Amino acid sequence: MDGRTRSWWGWGNVEDAVTGRERAELTRRAAELLPDADLTAHEPPPVESFGVRPSRIQAPPALAALASEDIRDRLAHSHGQAFRDVVRALLGRLPHVPDLVVRPTTEEHVVQVLEWCGEAGVAVIPFGGGTSVVGGVEPRVGDDYAGVVSLDLTSMDRVLEVDTTSRAALIEAGALGPHLERQLRPQGHTLRFFPQSFEFSTLGGWLATRAGGHFATHLTHIDDLTASLRVVTPAGLVETRRLPASGAGPSPDRMFLGSEGSLGVITRAWVRLQDRPRWRTGASVAFTDHEAGVEAVRALAQSGLNPANCRLLDPVEAFLNAGSPTAVLVLGFESADHPVDAWLDRALELCRDHGGSLTEPPRRTDTSAASAGARTEAADTWRSSFLRMPYQRDALAAQGMIVETFETACTWDRFAALRAAVDAAAQDAMRQVGATGVVTCRFTHVYPDGPAPYFGVYAAGRWGGTVEQWDEIKQAVSEALIAGGGTITHHHAVGRDHRPWYDRQRPDLFAAALRAGKKVLDPEGILNPGAVVDPAR
């Protein structure tokens, strides 16, 4: 982290928090959008004020040097990074704190932790980088356990092997995004997987949550980049065979992808690499009619052009993040093999067919030339906004605003009705809880058969009650997503917060098979209880 300090209560690094001119401008925009909002800023309480109880458990001697009882460390591992997590920390409400944080440095340590916890009746919460926004790392496990261990694998962060011929790498699960990429760079490779949490999340976390990366089309989910897994379970080790493809029965990798540490602890994985891109080109396209922009994006998704970036922001989202009064499509292409100008030219033709117009000339980049690293102004603006969003969310949350997102995926034929239903549900819920606000929509990923809409809620909340206000809004929109034929999550995972709707989305017999699988792999039910699937205890 280059000497910077991770925040124990909010997003990212303390040194990168929103302050000064940036905070003043953010507050100004919020006041312009919601003139009745009380934007008084509140500071996080001191960690000593939480009254964290002493640890109920003690690590065995072989693991003692890896275990931490430090209060700040335990508080930082008591929650994820959802809006409700951040606000509860600001309000001093973190009731579920792990007894120990354990940082293994080898796979054998992981085996020892699971053996000890299984025998002692201690729950184990694999933590990853702690960026879950669905309660996936919160030790909310009930009273059936002697204690809770937060298992932090970030000390297991090496690239162990690179197969340049097959273009693949064996990487330990605790590798954070930037460290992973630094290790691949000398060979000219990249995993090319950049979620918004990239700086603070791990490979194992991406795998365990079936995360989605930054790129809008083609190889969007970590599933697409997974060649094989190595998983430590309480019942033993599972290691899958590395193959380009196989038709030999159901995929064992798929059993653990998305299991959120409830079936086993992913310790390493073979992942598919790509050569670092040389050619890039991009443009920003404005649409005065958002629905026309949606149709343009559908045409792009079904064209086979596979843009790397294809993010459509509705007018409110575009105003908040880029100051634009119209809907904006941020479009980009890249390749390590060939120039991509022709792909962008054809994409712009499709946009013009639907009423789109360029906001600036396209920027075309060859990274072997002096212009290396250049991007379009719009792409730079969007990228900067994209990375600053969580920090800005924290700042506004501390000023009594409700600032949160929810995401889904649906087929193109259902999108218009689903968006209308979600907007109506959110607006009605805001009225019910006394919060005035707006609902925004952008596309993060698009597929030939449908988009992944990412909705945002920006509302003037009531300080001290914004968690409860948000919970009511979340309940309403989640019901609308399921009723409208969408998924409860496209890439944010299930955790504990999405469980009620995930349980309705998945087929009953599949749920029974999943519970049976957990009983075999985790017979004592110690792994991440309550996330994805309940243990049979």
Side-chain angles (χ1 to χ4, degrees):
M1 291 300 171
D2 302 321
R4 289 176 291 175
T5 305
R6 279 294 301 270
S7 171
W8 66 265
W9 65 271
W11 183 264
N13 297 313
V14 172
E15 295 82 357
D16 296 326
V18 175
T19 58
R21 182 178 299 178
E22 182 185 8
R23 185 154 197 171
E25 173 60 18
L26 183 65
T27 303
R28 185 195 67 77
R29 284 194 185 184
E32 183 177 339
L33 185 68
L34 301 166
D36 296 329
D38 177 3
L39 297 174
T40 302
H42 301 83
E43 296 298 322
V47 295
E48 295 78 16
S49 67
F50 282 82
V52 177
R53 67 184 176 189
S55 174
R56 297 167 291 174
I57 56 177
Q58 188 172 26
L63 298 170
L66 308 175
S68 167
E69 294 185 55
D70 179 76
I71 292 175
R72 183 180 294 267
D73 202 7
R74 291 167 63 194
L75 281 173
H77 284 74
S78 71
H79 60 89
Q81 292 297 325
F83 167 80
R84 69 189 315 275
D85 296 322
V86 168
V87 176
R88 286 184 305 155
L90 288 168
L91 294 172
R93 302 178 191 166
L94 294 176
H96 307 291
V97 180
D99 295 277
L100 294 175
V101 177
V102 178
R103 292 180 170 87
T105 60
T106 67
E107 187 176 83
E108 180 56 32
H109 288 151
V110 177
V111 172
Q112 292 173 9
V113 169
L114 296 191
E115 288 177 348
W116 161 51
C117 291
E119 293 171 0
V122 173
V124 179
I125 313 293
F127 189 72
T131 59
S132 170
V133 293
V134 293
V137 297
E138 183 178 349
R140 198 192 319 159
V141 301
D143 299 322
D144 293 338
Y145 298 88
V148 181
V149 163
S150 179
L151 190 65
D152 186 325
L153 266 65
T154 52
S155 295
M156 298 171 59
D157 63 355
R158 296 171 298 162
V159 172
L160 300 173
E161 185 179 346
V162 176
D163 176 355
T164 56
T165 303
S166 305
R167 214 168 58 178
L170 177 62
I171 305 174
E172 290 184 306
L176 293 163
H179 186 56
L180 182 157
E181 286 292 332
R182 279 195 295 269
Q183 293 177 83
L184 296 176
R185 184 181 292 271
Q187 293 94 344
H189 295 314
T190 175
L191 184 57
R192 192 186 176 270
F193 190 79
F194 303 109
Q196 191 174 39
S197 62
F198 171 75
E199 188 176 0
F200 306 106
S201 54
T202 65
L203 173 63
W206 303 340
L207 296 163
T209 59
R210 295 186 68 194
H214 171 74
F215 294 95
T217 65
H218 187 58
L219 304 180
T220 59
H221 270 79
I222 196 65
D223 310 35
D224 305 319
L225 303 173
T226 303
S228 72
L229 299 176
R230 187 173 169 97
V231 186
V232 173
T233 81
L237 180 68
V238 177
E239 185 169 16
T240 66
R241 180 169 295 190
R242 179 164 68 106
L243 297 165
S246 173
S251 166
D253 290 330
R254 292 278 177 173
M255 184 172 188
F256 295 102
L257 290 168
S259 64
E260 300 186 40
S262 63
L263 303 179
V265 179
I266 299 169
T267 56
R268 61 182 65 172
W270 276 98
V271 291
R272 299 181 176 99
L273 305 179
Q274 297 181 66
D275 294 331
R276 302 187 71 82
R278 171 180 169 181
W279 289 274
R280 290 189 176 94
T281 186
S284 176
V285 184
F287 292 89
T288 55
D289 180 353
H290 179 250
E291 286 69 27
V294 171
E295 286 302 304
V297 172
R298 181 169 70 87
L300 285 166
Q302 295 175 345
S303 69
L305 292 170
N306 291 330
N309 206 353
C310 191
R311 290 177 178 260
L312 179 68
L313 286 66
D314 75 6
V316 179
E317 184 83 18
F319 169 75
L320 286 172
N321 292 292
S324 171
T326 66
V328 172
L329 173 63
V330 181
L331 191 61
F333 293 84
E334 64 178 43
S335 174
D337 179 73
H338 53 266
V340 286
D341 297 17
W343 280 256
L344 177 65
D345 292 343
R346 175 57 186 147
L348 293 176
E349 285 181 12
L350 291 173
C351 291
R352 284 191 289 268
D353 289 344
H354 292 86
S357 59
L358 284 172
T359 63
E360 60 180 11
R363 183 71 61 87
R364 307 175 193 272
T365 303
D366 179 346
T367 58
S368 67
S371 60
R375 295 183 179 90
T376 67
E377 180 181 344
D380 272 336
T381 300
W382 165 251
R383 183 175 182 274
S384 176
S385 297
F386 179 71
L387 295 176
R388 293 300 290 168
M389 281 176 191
Y391 289 104
Q392 293 175 348
R393 184 276 313 267
D394 285 6
L396 292 173
Q399 292 178 254
M401 281 193 63
I402 300 169
V403 184
E404 186 56 298
T405 60
F406 49 96
E407 38 78 52
T408 187
C410 63
T411 52
W412 287 110
D413 62 307
R414 289 180 169 175
F415 169 67
L418 180 67
R419 186 191 178 195
V422 164
D423 187 73
Q427 293 289 354
D428 183 63
M430 283 191 282
R431 284 190 294 270
Q432 294 285 340
V433 301
T436 303
V438 297
V439 182
T440 68
C441 180
R442 67 180 184 266
F443 290 162
T444 59
H445 304 76
V446 290
Y447 306 91
D449 49 345
Y454 197 102
F455 296 94
V457 171
Y458 302 84
R462 181 179 64 256
W463 180 250
T466 52
V467 170
E468 292 76 16
Q469 288 176 306
W470 167 249
D471 285 347
E472 291 295 320
I473 298 167
K474 174 72 172 179
Q475 172 86 17
V477 298
S478 297
E479 290 292 328
L481 292 178
I482 294 298
T487 175
I488 190 58
T489 176
H490 170 263
H491 61 269
H492 278 174
V494 175
R496 293 164 180 79
D497 297 345
H498 281 157
R499 271 297 302 278
W501 299 280
Y502 172 63
D503 286 357
R504 287 160 53 186
Q505 179 175 326
R506 65 186 179 189
D508 291 341
L509 280 177
F510 172 78
L514 188 57
R515 285 191 292 269
K518 181 170 177 65
K519 181 64 177 175
V520 170
L521 295 168
D522 180 21
E524 301 302 322
I526 61 170
L527 286 173
N528 214 1
V532 182
V533 58
D534 291 327
R537 284 178 60 85

